Amino acid sequence: MTIASSSPPSRLPTGGAAEASSTTGTRQGVSGEDRGDGRLAALFIAPALLGFLVFLLWPTLRGIYLSFTRFNLLTPAEWVGLDNYVRMVNDPIFWDSLWVTVEYVVINIGVQTVAALAIAVLLQRLTQSAMLRGIVLTPYLMSNVVAGLVWLWLLDTQLGIGNEIISGLGVDRIPFLADETWAIPTIALINVWRHVGYTALLLFAGLQAIPNDMYEAARVDGASEWRMFWRITMPLLRPVVAVVLIMTVIGSFQVFDTVAVTTAGGPANATNVLQYYIYGSAFGRFQFGYASAMSVALLVVLSAITVLQYRLTRAGRTDLG
């Protein structure tokens, strides 16, 4: 005996097919929109990507290749293997330049970080004036070359107003940029003066992200400003400070223009920082292969320092809940 089904068998497949067709159409529409957004994003990114490839990636790869060659622009590059690196390891001027650069970095980063942090905290705790922030940033708007020339005139041993004031106080004139002891600290402080405002504003932006409720609760508990600084401000500002330190250390190792316009590496190589030595080797003695090897060495050093800083300061983590 056969029992006939009461419902038409064709309805369910038909409804399922329509539903599937609708879902497929929706997915195609979404994927089409995604493709349109992707094309638009690629259009906006293309100029920056082109600049990155042409002015950063290609010169870096070219420099790495030239570091294994002997090249002077007049003849084709000659492959010499590791000869340039062996020469670099045995070059006392290279090590002296590296030491001078480290000395500059330590002074510059130490003074700049402390001063910028103090300025940022004062801006955040005492005033919110946009005009004052603009005044703090003013030296950064000046180029390094102009800043170097201005301070070269101000600190000139014979005619500089700085030494005129010192002489008027009954103290012997100080050859700030002409003495081996004073030259590097002076150059470091010149660059601190120029960059401290920008660094302070970066830290100020980080301070703005700290909730005011924490400071108010600490005041209710009777905490002093100094205690709030160490217990609230510094722990919560740590990721921003870490990023700022990474940026300033990389920039400090690449100091060049201030040295070039003030001391030209002197006196007696006391300010012959690594970038200036690389420049002299390449464009003064046309030893582009050797200069490229030193540049690659500097790249490796900066990469190692950056990774070490990132891990030690836990720059990728924040104490904000």
Side-chain angles (χ1 to χ4, degrees), residues 25 36 55 78 97 116 124 136 152 167 174 195 215 260 280 306 319-320:
F55 297 108
E78 176 187 354
S97 298
Q124 195 253 354
V136 169
L152 177 64
S167 178
I174 301 174
H195 292 92
Y215 293 107
T306 300
D319 294 331
L320 279 171

Side-chain angles (χ1 to χ4, degrees), residues 182-203:
W182 286 96
I184 276 293
T186 301
I187 291 174
L189 293 178
I190 290 173
N191 282 327
V192 166
W193 171 83
R194 181 180 179 272
H195 292 92
V196 70
Y198 177 72
T199 306
L201 288 185
L202 292 178
L203 296 174

Side-chain angles (χ1 to χ4, degrees), residues 154-238:
L154 290 175
L155 300 177
D156 183 81
T157 307
Q158 301 300 324
L159 303 175
I161 188 173
N163 267 303
E164 287 294 331
I165 294 174
I166 292 174
S167 178
L169 295 175
V171 181
D172 292 339
R173 294 174 181 266
I174 301 174
F176 288 101
L177 294 168
D179 183 82
E180 296 180 28
T181 303
W182 286 96
I184 276 293
T186 301
I187 291 174
L189 293 178
I190 290 173
N191 282 327
V192 166
W193 171 83
R194 181 180 179 272
H195 292 92
V196 70
Y198 177 72
T199 306
L201 288 185
L202 292 178
L203 296 174
F204 175 78
L207 289 172
Q208 295 296 97
I210 300 177
N212 286 327
D213 297 345
M214 295 187 175
Y215 293 107
E216 293 174 1
R219 287 194 194 94
V220 171
D221 292 338
S224 63
E225 289 289 337
W226 186 250
R227 187 174 182 83
M228 285 191 291
F229 174 77
W230 286 109
R231 297 294 184 178
I232 298 176
T233 302
M234 284 306 297
L236 298 183
L237 193 63
R238 176 185 47 75

Side-chain angles (χ1 to χ4, degrees), residues 5-72:
S5 176
S6 60
S7 59
S10 61
R11 291 182 182 176
L12 286 177
T14 302
E19 193 174 320
S21 176
S22 175
T23 304
T24 303
T26 303
R27 289 177 180 173
Q28 289 177 349
V30 172
S31 63
E33 292 177 2
D34 290 343
R35 283 197 296 270
D37 291 342
R39 293 192 188 100
L40 184 61
L43 182 63
F44 281 110
I45 293 173
L49 180 61
L50 180 62
F52 171 79
L53 295 175
V54 173
F55 297 108
L56 186 62
L57 183 60
W58 168 246
T60 300
L61 297 177
R62 175 70 172 169
I64 293 174
Y65 164 73
L66 289 177
S67 69
F68 296 100
T69 67
R70 183 181 295 111
F71 181 53
N72 60 7

